[in-house]
Amino acid sequence: MTWFQEGLYDHWQQAFKVTKELYRSEGGLQEIVLFETPQFGRVLALDGVIQVTTGDEFVYHEMLAHLPIYAHGNVRTACVVGGGDGGMLREILKHPTVEKAVLVEIDAGVVEFCREHMPSVSNGAFDDPRVEVIIADGIEFMATTDRRFDLIVIDSTDPIGPGEVLFTESFYKNCARCLTEEGIVVNQNGVPFLQGDEVTATYRRRKPHFTDVGFFVAAVPTYVGGFMALGWASLSQRPRSETFETIARRFAAAPVATRYYTPAIHQAAFALPKFVQDLITDWQ
Ligand code: SAM
């Protein structure tokens, strides 16, 4: 029996018992490893860092898709930056209001690989006629496109390697430029207990370009270290301040099948632990 040790942190590691290594490729843009585990199902690691497991991906994908979509109320155009596994597209496409979902992924290898080896994650999303896949660096795309989106989901790797540019102020500025008036940007922003600097940096870099900048939280078992911070930025204050009654009414009128997201979780997710609030209050 072997173990896979994740190498994200200098002083702490998590390890997965591996039933079988299914794939390993070291020649592409990123090292891709896929293995089977007894607890989390299939696990994908890029450059040694866990990206998605078939066991708990629903938490992450549901919270970054459904929360902003119900907060907005009428998302028709969405852009996912990163997200080559297709899980974010799968959740976004559950909403019948969505007419177009563009995936901008830097690594074609991840898309092809996940379609073949982790088909339950995208669950047919890549065959949906509303989807357009663009293989490009997200920073270039956002700097040059003339498209506008109601929702931008930054489903990136951590700010090391190719994902680093997706945490820069110039990228956020261009995201703001590419939003419609009531549009929302959300992203994965690390685990504040271990990656608190990321929360502070994101807040500071977004503040000049958006009206409403904040975070919400979700507990994703394989992103270890406590709650994960999910970033929120919008040009209008309206979507984040929607009441529980409005969110619950929208959910009841157009429900999607979920395992984590509910209107009550939506409301509660914006209640930040004090130590997370403290990471951003210095900048307010
Ligand atoms: N759920 C995952 C997590 O939080 O760890 C993220 C999954 S998704 C597989 C991350 C994707 O971002 C990868 O497929 C990677 O290739 C892509 N990516 C990294 N940097 C990028 C960039 N600059 N532009 C577009 N996609 C990028």
Side-chain angles (χ1 to χ4, degrees):
M1 186 65 68
T2 56
W3 290 77
F4 176 93
Q5 276 184 306
E6 184 184 35
L8 181 58
Y9 300 112
D10 290 339
H11 307 295
W12 190 26
Q13 292 188 333
Q14 66 171 331
F16 293 81
K17 190 179 265 188
V18 178
T19 324
K20 193 175 178 198
E21 184 171 293
L22 300 167
Y23 185 86
R24 176 178 289 270
S25 142
E26 288 161 9
L29 186 64
Q30 302 167 96
E31 181 203 68
I32 300 177
V33 179
L34 179 74
F35 51 92
E36 190 76 45
T37 68
Q39 184 79 61
F40 288 98
R42 287 192 174 189
V43 179
L44 172 72
L46 296 179
D47 289 340
V49 178
I50 302 305
Q51 299 297 313
V52 58
T53 87
T54 53
D56 71 353
E57 53 86 11
F58 67 95
V59 180
Y60 174 88
H61 290 133
E62 288 183 14
M63 287 299 276
L64 279 175
H66 305 315
L67 187 143
I69 289 176
Y70 283 118
H72 181 282
N74 187 27
V75 168
R76 292 190 299 175
T77 51
C79 179
V80 178
V81 180
D85 52 67
M88 200 64 72
L89 284 176
R90 179 197 74 208
E91 293 302 317
I92 289 171
L93 293 168
K94 286 181 177 174
H95 294 268
T97 56
V98 173
E99 295 163 3
K100 184 88 188 163
V102 178
L103 183 91
V104 182
E105 163 64 57
I106 199 168
D107 193 341
V110 175
V111 177
E112 285 158 25
F113 175 83
C114 290
R115 285 185 80 161
E116 186 178 343
H117 297 282
M118 299 181 100
S120 69
V121 177
S122 56
N123 197 27
F126 291 109
D127 300 320
D128 190 299
R130 295 173 287 172
V131 168
E132 178 182 350
V133 176
I134 297 175
I135 301 300
D137 191 329
I139 194 164
E140 301 274 342
F141 174 82
M142 222 43 95
T144 53
T145 185
D146 56 7
R147 301 190 194 194
R148 298 293 177 267
F149 301 100
D150 299 319
L151 171 64
I152 297 173
V153 181
I154 309 163
D155 182 9
S156 67
T157 45
D158 284 286
I160 35 177
E164 196 173 354
V165 295
L166 304 181
F167 291 82
T168 58
E169 184 170 345
S170 65
F171 176 65
Y172 295 143
K173 185 179 173 186
N174 279 315
C175 286
R177 187 184 65 81
C178 295
L179 279 184
T180 54
E181 208 177 320
E182 297 271 313
I184 303 165
V185 178
V186 291
N187 77 317
Q188 76 87 1
N189 219 109
V191 173
F193 186 76
L194 297 167
Q195 296 163 304
D197 290 353
E198 283 181 32
V199 171
T200 306
T202 296
Y203 187 80
R204 183 166 47 80
R205 291 168 189 168
R206 287 182 168 179
K207 198 72 181 142
H209 307 293
F210 298 88
T211 305
D212 188 16
V213 178
F215 295 88
F216 54 109
V217 292
V220 185
T222 54
Y223 301 150
V224 288
F227 276 119
M228 176 174 212
L230 302 169
W232 169 284
S234 55
L235 301 175
S236 154
Q237 229 134 27
R238 198 268 308 157
R240 183 150 65 125
S241 55
E242 292 293 18
T243 62
F244 171 75
E245 286 70 26
T246 301
I247 300 299
R249 183 175 42 73
R250 287 180 184 156
F251 185 75
V256 296
T258 61
R259 292 172 67 200
Y260 189 90
Y261 177 88
T262 66
I265 284 283
H266 181 133
Q267 188 186 36
F270 286 106
L272 300 182
K274 178 71 166 54
F275 81 94
V276 181
Q277 277 179 41
D278 289 346
L279 293 168
I280 59 177
T281 42
D282 283 355
W283 298 98
Q284 279 173 340

